[in-house]
Amino acid sequence: MLAKKLLSFKPSSSENFEKFHDSEKMNSSLDESGEEAYRARAGRKRHSVQLDKKLTSQLHSLDRRSSTISTGTADSLSSYTGSSSEEDDISPREKAQKNSRGFSDFCVKNIEHNAFGRREIEIAEQEMPGLMALRRRAEADKPLQGAKIIGCTHITAQTAVLVETLAALGASIRWSACNIYSTQNEVAAALAESGFPIYAWKGETEEDFWWCIDKCINAEGWQPNMILDDGGDATHWLLKKYPAMFNMVKGIVEESVTGVHRLYQLSKSGKLTVPAMNVNDSVTKTKFDNLYSCRESILDALKRTTDVMFGGKQVLICGYGEVGKGCSQALKGLGAIVSVTEIDPICALQACMDGFRVVKLDEVVRNCDVLITCTGNKNVVTRSHLDRLKNGCIVCNMGHSNTEIDVASLRTPELTWEKVRSQVDHIIWPDGKRIILLAEGRLVNLSCSSVPSFVVSITATTQALALIELFNAPAGRYKQDVYLLPKKMDEYVASLHLPTFDAHLTELTDDQAKYLGLNKAGPFKPNYYRY
């Protein structure tokens, strides 16, 4: 074990002193300066010995913690997941916490870390110009006055800017996390300190996850009338546990592939009793968050967790939608040899035209150095595939759900789980082969790195406008179905972000607008236009 190896290490200053001390004892005629030098070195030795003892104590503690990670049974194979603000192993549910004003309607890792989170939020605000502009323009009108919003998304500094924007526009909010690993604990603490009911921390268990959502929904004297969801979990829980309350919701805004699929399934089966807005397939979400954000954040996540050089590596991307396109472009730019799997002939043709080889997973699984899923589907990478991966293969997921890689099949007695660092596990086969699994198959960029604030600003502004539209829509405008964001709103979101680049739009003349059959103020493209 690493800790035991380190215990035998001695700082070089101590070793050098031993050699010096032996030679000094042989010299009985030290002059005054020599005596002073000797005393100084002796002091350094005592200090070095103290450091050795402290290091030894810390490493023994590390050994004790490491030894608690069992490799004997399937139930104990889940890796211990660290946190940026993890000072103990006490569950936040067992803590009685209050903010500086005595507010206690929250459950976060440590409320005392709120100042660090506030600084993170302030940094994010600087890179979220569109959302901040919307806040300034609409704050006086309070278009969400009376809205009671349940939020279930990733809780990051960027999400905090959205939460505070919605509150500034008049909304009352309760918020939980859509991912057990992506919560930034300090940010959650900062929101709780500001008086928001936040129920989330990094490293929740599955039971914690649903408990947090339930605490947001089932609050005394507070009934939700809007849902902002990322993955459909809050929608699912409200419909399952509180159907009467669900029927009174005015609208749902959903931003993920998984959540949108759930909504369409509910609509098809007649169980969707409220209007919903599909933000995931809006132009500003698909073309910016899914493509540009993933193009940058996949590299960030892989570099932070593995330190691997990607030039010349064989990389397989499962899925060539916008997320797959971004990941493929990024890794190709680093010199990786990228192949793609696809079910859609149009996306497959795009991959071919972009210079990528389209293959079946079974054809190349033995040669992959990196395997990334980007499909939003389930059982894309099965135990059979995992068994055939080469030694040292990096496996991760960029799709929203944790169902793309069959991680459950790896929790068996014959396989050993070895924690490397936070969100990084070695899965070791009996013959010694190991793969590197990131974030236990969950969304790797938000679990293991960060997402660019500017791109999140585009998505968050889209979400805010969708909430405003559904909440203020007159009766009958939206029926019990799933809708796309109106094109005009997509264009408005983009326009809010253009000043950052000092971009100047050309205006149509009356004659040009008439020729194209457009309104001079937009929308400028028909709904069927593919950007």
Short mmCIF file of all heavy atoms in Angstrom, two decimals, residues 121-159:
data_model
loop_
_atom_site.label_atom_id
_atom_site.label_comp_id
_atom_site.label_asym_id
_atom_site.label_seq_id
_atom_site.Cartn_x
_atom_site.Cartn_y
_atom_site.Cartn_z
N ILE A 121 -19.31 31.52 -6.35
CA ILE A 121 -20.48 32.08 -7.03
C ILE A 121 -20.14 33.42 -7.67
O ILE A 121 -20.54 33.71 -8.81
CB ILE A 121 -21.66 32.22 -6.04
CG1 ILE A 121 -22.10 30.84 -5.54
CG2 ILE A 121 -22.84 32.96 -6.69
CD1 ILE A 121 -23.07 30.89 -4.37
N GLU A 122 -19.39 34.23 -6.97
CA GLU A 122 -19.01 35.55 -7.51
C GLU A 122 -18.14 35.41 -8.75
O GLU A 122 -18.25 36.20 -9.70
CB GLU A 122 -18.29 36.35 -6.43
CG GLU A 122 -19.21 36.80 -5.29
CD GLU A 122 -18.44 37.37 -4.10
OE1 GLU A 122 -17.19 37.27 -4.11
OE2 GLU A 122 -19.08 37.88 -3.16
N ILE A 123 -17.27 34.40 -8.75
CA ILE A 123 -16.45 34.16 -9.94
C ILE A 123 -17.34 33.73 -11.11
O ILE A 123 -17.19 34.20 -12.24
CB ILE A 123 -15.38 33.08 -9.66
CG1 ILE A 123 -14.34 33.61 -8.67
CG2 ILE A 123 -14.70 32.64 -10.95
CD1 ILE A 123 -13.38 32.55 -8.17
N ALA A 124 -18.29 32.84 -10.83
CA ALA A 124 -19.19 32.35 -11.89
C ALA A 124 -20.01 33.49 -12.48
O ALA A 124 -20.26 33.52 -13.70
CB ALA A 124 -20.10 31.25 -11.34
N GLU A 125 -20.44 34.42 -11.65
CA GLU A 125 -21.25 35.54 -12.14
C GLU A 125 -20.54 36.33 -13.23
O GLU A 125 -21.17 36.82 -14.17
CB GLU A 125 -21.61 36.47 -10.99
CG GLU A 125 -22.65 35.90 -10.04
CD GLU A 125 -22.92 36.82 -8.87
OE1 GLU A 125 -22.12 37.76 -8.64
OE2 GLU A 125 -23.93 36.61 -8.17
N GLN A 126 -19.22 36.42 -13.12
CA GLN A 126 -18.44 37.18 -14.10
C GLN A 126 -18.46 36.51 -15.47
O GLN A 126 -18.27 37.17 -16.50
CB GLN A 126 -16.99 37.33 -13.63
CG GLN A 126 -16.84 37.98 -12.28
CD GLN A 126 -17.52 39.35 -12.21
OE1 GLN A 126 -17.31 40.20 -13.06
NE2 GLN A 126 -18.35 39.54 -11.19
N GLU A 127 -18.67 35.20 -15.51
CA GLU A 127 -18.65 34.46 -16.76
C GLU A 127 -20.05 34.03 -17.21
O GLU A 127 -20.19 33.15 -18.05
CB GLU A 127 -17.76 33.21 -16.61
CG GLU A 127 -16.31 33.44 -16.93
CD GLU A 127 -16.07 33.62 -18.42
OE1 GLU A 127 -16.29 32.68 -19.19
OE2 GLU A 127 -15.67 34.74 -18.82
N MET A 128 -21.09 34.64 -16.61
CA MET A 128 -22.46 34.30 -16.97
C MET A 128 -23.22 35.57 -17.36
O MET A 128 -24.20 35.96 -16.71
CB MET A 128 -23.15 33.55 -15.83
CG MET A 128 -22.43 32.27 -15.43
SD MET A 128 -23.26 31.29 -14.17
CE MET A 128 -24.59 30.54 -15.11
N PRO A 129 -22.78 36.24 -18.42
CA PRO A 129 -23.32 37.56 -18.75
C PRO A 129 -24.79 37.54 -19.15
O PRO A 129 -25.54 38.47 -18.82
CB PRO A 129 -22.45 38.01 -19.93
CG PRO A 129 -21.96 36.74 -20.55
CD PRO A 129 -21.77 35.80 -19.40
N GLY A 130 -25.22 36.50 -19.86
CA GLY A 130 -26.61 36.45 -20.30
C GLY A 130 -27.58 36.34 -19.14
O GLY A 130 -28.60 37.05 -19.08
N LEU A 131 -27.28 35.44 -18.21
CA LEU A 131 -28.16 35.25 -17.06
C LEU A 131 -28.18 36.49 -16.18
O LEU A 131 -29.24 36.90 -15.68
CB LEU A 131 -27.70 34.03 -16.26
CG LEU A 131 -28.67 33.54 -15.19
CD1 LEU A 131 -30.01 33.13 -15.80
CD2 LEU A 131 -28.07 32.36 -14.42
N MET A 132 -27.03 37.12 -15.99
CA MET A 132 -26.98 38.34 -15.18
C MET A 132 -27.74 39.48 -15.87
O MET A 132 -28.40 40.30 -15.21
CB MET A 132 -25.53 38.73 -14.92
CG MET A 132 -24.75 37.71 -14.10
SD MET A 132 -25.47 37.39 -12.47
CE MET A 132 -25.15 38.96 -11.65
N ALA A 133 -27.66 39.53 -17.20
CA ALA A 133 -28.41 40.56 -17.94
C ALA A 133 -29.91 40.33 -17.80
O ALA A 133 -30.68 41.29 -17.62
CB ALA A 133 -28.00 40.53 -19.41
N LEU A 134 -30.34 39.08 -17.86
CA LEU A 134 -31.76 38.77 -17.67
C LEU A 134 -32.21 39.18 -16.27
O LEU A 134 -33.31 39.74 -16.10
CB LEU A 134 -31.99 37.28 -17.88
CG LEU A 134 -33.43 36.79 -17.66
CD1 LEU A 134 -34.37 37.39 -18.69
CD2 LEU A 134 -33.49 35.26 -17.72
N ARG A 135 -31.36 38.92 -15.28
CA ARG A 135 -31.69 39.31 -13.91
C ARG A 135 -31.90 40.82 -13.81
O ARG A 135 -32.88 41.29 -13.22
CB ARG A 135 -30.60 38.87 -12.94
CG ARG A 135 -30.93 39.14 -11.48
CD ARG A 135 -29.74 38.92 -10.55
NE ARG A 135 -29.23 37.56 -10.57
CZ ARG A 135 -28.27 37.12 -9.73
NH1 ARG A 135 -27.73 37.96 -8.85
NH2 ARG A 135 -27.85 35.88 -9.81
N ARG A 136 -30.99 41.58 -14.40
CA ARG A 136 -31.10 43.05 -14.34
C ARG A 136 -32.35 43.55 -15.07
O ARG A 136 -33.04 44.46 -14.59
CB ARG A 136 -29.85 43.69 -14.93
CG ARG A 136 -28.59 43.51 -14.09
CD ARG A 136 -27.47 44.39 -14.61
NE ARG A 136 -27.09 44.03 -15.99
CZ ARG A 136 -26.15 43.14 -16.29
NH1 ARG A 136 -25.53 42.49 -15.33
NH2 ARG A 136 -25.86 42.89 -17.55
N ARG A 137 -32.65 42.96 -16.22
CA ARG A 137 -33.76 43.45 -17.03
C ARG A 137 -35.13 43.11 -16.44
O ARG A 137 -36.09 43.88 -16.60
CB ARG A 137 -33.67 42.87 -18.44
CG ARG A 137 -32.47 43.36 -19.23
CD ARG A 137 -32.50 42.82 -20.66
NE ARG A 137 -31.30 43.17 -21.40
CZ ARG A 137 -31.13 42.97 -22.70
NH1 ARG A 137 -32.12 42.40 -23.40
NH2 ARG A 137 -30.01 43.31 -23.30
N ALA A 138 -35.24 41.95 -15.79
CA ALA A 138 -36.55 41.47 -15.35
C ALA A 138 -36.79 41.60 -13.85
O ALA A 138 -37.90 41.33 -13.39
CB ALA A 138 -36.74 40.02 -15.78
N GLU A 139 -35.77 42.00 -13.10
CA GLU A 139 -35.89 42.01 -11.64
C GLU A 139 -37.02 42.91 -11.17
O GLU A 139 -37.76 42.57 -10.24
CB GLU A 139 -34.57 42.43 -11.01
CG GLU A 139 -34.54 42.27 -9.50
CD GLU A 139 -33.14 42.44 -8.93
OE1 GLU A 139 -32.22 42.84 -9.68
OE2 GLU A 139 -32.97 42.18 -7.72
N ALA A 140 -37.18 44.07 -11.81
CA ALA A 140 -38.21 45.00 -11.37
C ALA A 140 -39.62 44.47 -11.64
O ALA A 140 -40.55 44.74 -10.88
CB ALA A 140 -38.02 46.35 -12.07
N ASP A 141 -39.79 43.69 -12.70
CA ASP A 141 -41.12 43.20 -13.07
C ASP A 141 -41.54 41.97 -12.28
O ASP A 141 -42.74 41.65 -12.23
CB ASP A 141 -41.15 42.86 -14.57
CG ASP A 141 -40.94 44.09 -15.44
OD1 ASP A 141 -41.31 45.20 -14.99
OD2 ASP A 141 -40.40 43.94 -16.55
N LYS A 142 -40.59 41.27 -11.70
CA LYS A 142 -40.87 40.06 -10.92
C LYS A 142 -41.80 39.09 -11.68
O LYS A 142 -42.89 38.73 -11.21
CB LYS A 142 -41.49 40.42 -9.57
CG LYS A 142 -40.58 41.17 -8.62
CD LYS A 142 -39.52 40.26 -8.07
CE LYS A 142 -38.71 40.92 -6.96
NZ LYS A 142 -37.83 42.01 -7.43
N PRO A 143 -41.38 38.60 -12.86
CA PRO A 143 -42.25 37.71 -13.65
C PRO A 143 -42.52 36.36 -13.01
O PRO A 143 -43.41 35.64 -13.46
CB PRO A 143 -41.48 37.55 -14.96
CG PRO A 143 -40.04 37.79 -14.59
CD PRO A 143 -40.08 38.82 -13.52
N LEU A 144 -41.75 35.99 -11.97
CA LEU A 144 -41.97 34.71 -11.29
C LEU A 144 -42.58 34.90 -9.90
O LEU A 144 -42.51 33.99 -9.07
CB LEU A 144 -40.65 33.93 -11.20
CG LEU A 144 -40.13 33.39 -12.53
CD1 LEU A 144 -38.76 32.75 -12.34
CD2 LEU A 144 -41.09 32.39 -13.15
N GLN A 145 -43.15 36.07 -9.66
CA GLN A 145 -43.80 36.30 -8.37
C GLN A 145 -44.93 35.29 -8.18
O GLN A 145 -45.83 35.17 -9.02
CB GLN A 145 -44.38 37.72 -8.33
CG GLN A 145 -44.87 38.13 -6.95
CD GLN A 145 -43.72 38.37 -5.98
OE1 GLN A 145 -42.77 39.08 -6.30
NE2 GLN A 145 -43.80 37.78 -4.80
N GLY A 146 -44.86 34.53 -7.12
CA GLY A 146 -45.86 33.50 -6.85
C GLY A 146 -45.44 32.11 -7.31
O GLY A 146 -46.11 31.13 -6.97
N ALA A 147 -44.36 32.03 -8.06
CA ALA A 147 -43.88 30.71 -8.50
C ALA A 147 -43.18 30.01 -7.34
O ALA A 147 -42.35 30.60 -6.65
CB ALA A 147 -42.93 30.86 -9.68
N LYS A 148 -43.52 28.74 -7.15
CA LYS A 148 -42.87 27.92 -6.14
C LYS A 148 -42.20 26.76 -6.88
O LYS A 148 -42.86 25.81 -7.31
CB LYS A 148 -43.89 27.42 -5.12
CG LYS A 148 -44.50 28.55 -4.30
CD LYS A 148 -45.49 28.02 -3.27
CE LYS A 148 -46.06 29.17 -2.44
NZ LYS A 148 -47.03 28.70 -1.42
N ILE A 149 -40.88 26.87 -7.00
CA ILE A 149 -40.14 26.00 -7.91
C ILE A 149 -39.36 24.94 -7.14
O ILE A 149 -38.58 25.26 -6.24
CB ILE A 149 -39.16 26.83 -8.76
CG1 ILE A 149 -39.91 27.90 -9.55
CG2 ILE A 149 -38.37 25.92 -9.71
CD1 ILE A 149 -38.99 28.87 -10.27
N ILE A 150 -39.57 23.68 -7.52
CA ILE A 150 -38.68 22.60 -7.09
C ILE A 150 -37.58 22.48 -8.13
O ILE A 150 -37.86 22.29 -9.32
CB ILE A 150 -39.42 21.26 -7.01
CG1 ILE A 150 -40.48 21.29 -5.92
CG2 ILE A 150 -38.44 20.12 -6.73
CD1 ILE A 150 -41.36 20.06 -5.95
N GLY A 151 -36.35 22.58 -7.69
CA GLY A 151 -35.21 22.40 -8.59
C GLY A 151 -34.50 21.09 -8.27
O GLY A 151 -34.28 20.77 -7.10
N CYS A 152 -34.15 20.35 -9.30
CA CYS A 152 -33.36 19.12 -9.12
C CYS A 152 -32.34 19.08 -10.24
O CYS A 152 -32.61 18.55 -11.32
CB CYS A 152 -34.26 17.89 -9.14
SG CYS A 152 -33.39 16.34 -8.80
N THR A 153 -31.19 19.69 -10.01
CA THR A 153 -30.15 19.81 -11.03
C THR A 153 -28.79 19.60 -10.35
O THR A 153 -28.72 19.39 -9.14
CB THR A 153 -30.16 21.20 -11.70
OG1 THR A 153 -29.76 22.19 -10.73
CG2 THR A 153 -31.54 21.55 -12.22
N HIS A 154 -27.73 19.69 -11.12
CA HIS A 154 -26.40 19.72 -10.53
C HIS A 154 -26.27 21.00 -9.71
O HIS A 154 -26.65 22.08 -10.17
CB HIS A 154 -25.33 19.69 -11.61
CG HIS A 154 -25.43 18.49 -12.50
ND1 HIS A 154 -24.98 17.24 -12.12
CD2 HIS A 154 -25.94 18.34 -13.75
CE1 HIS A 154 -25.20 16.37 -13.09
NE2 HIS A 154 -25.78 17.01 -14.09
N ILE A 155 -25.74 20.90 -8.50
CA ILE A 155 -25.59 22.08 -7.65
C ILE A 155 -24.13 22.53 -7.70
O ILE A 155 -23.26 21.99 -7.02
CB ILE A 155 -26.06 21.80 -6.22
CG1 ILE A 155 -27.55 21.47 -6.24
CG2 ILE A 155 -25.79 23.00 -5.32
CD1 ILE A 155 -28.17 21.24 -4.88
N THR A 156 -23.90 23.51 -8.54
CA THR A 156 -22.58 24.08 -8.76
C THR A 156 -22.67 25.59 -8.60
O THR A 156 -23.75 26.13 -8.39
CB THR A 156 -22.08 23.74 -10.17
OG1 THR A 156 -22.98 24.34 -11.13
CG2 THR A 156 -22.05 22.23 -10.41
N ALA A 157 -21.53 26.25 -8.73
CA ALA A 157 -21.53 27.71 -8.63
C ALA A 157 -22.42 28.32 -9.71
O ALA A 157 -23.11 29.32 -9.47
CB ALA A 157 -20.09 28.23 -8.76
N GLN A 158 -22.43 27.71 -10.90
CA GLN A 158 -23.26 28.23 -11.98
C GLN A 158 -24.75 28.06 -11.67
O GLN A 158 -25.56 28.95 -11.94
CB GLN A 158 -22.91 27.51 -13.29
CG GLN A 158 -21.50 27.72 -13.77
CD GLN A 158 -20.48 26.83 -13.07
OE1 GLN A 158 -20.83 25.82 -12.46
NE2 GLN A 158 -19.22 27.19 -13.16
N THR A 159 -25.11 26.91 -11.08
CA THR A 159 -26.49 26.70 -10.68
C THR A 159 -26.91 27.72 -9.63
O THR A 159 -28.04 28.20 -9.62
CB THR A 159 -26.68 25.28 -10.12
OG1 THR A 159 -26.28 24.33 -11.10
CG2 THR A 159 -28.13 25.03 -9.75
#
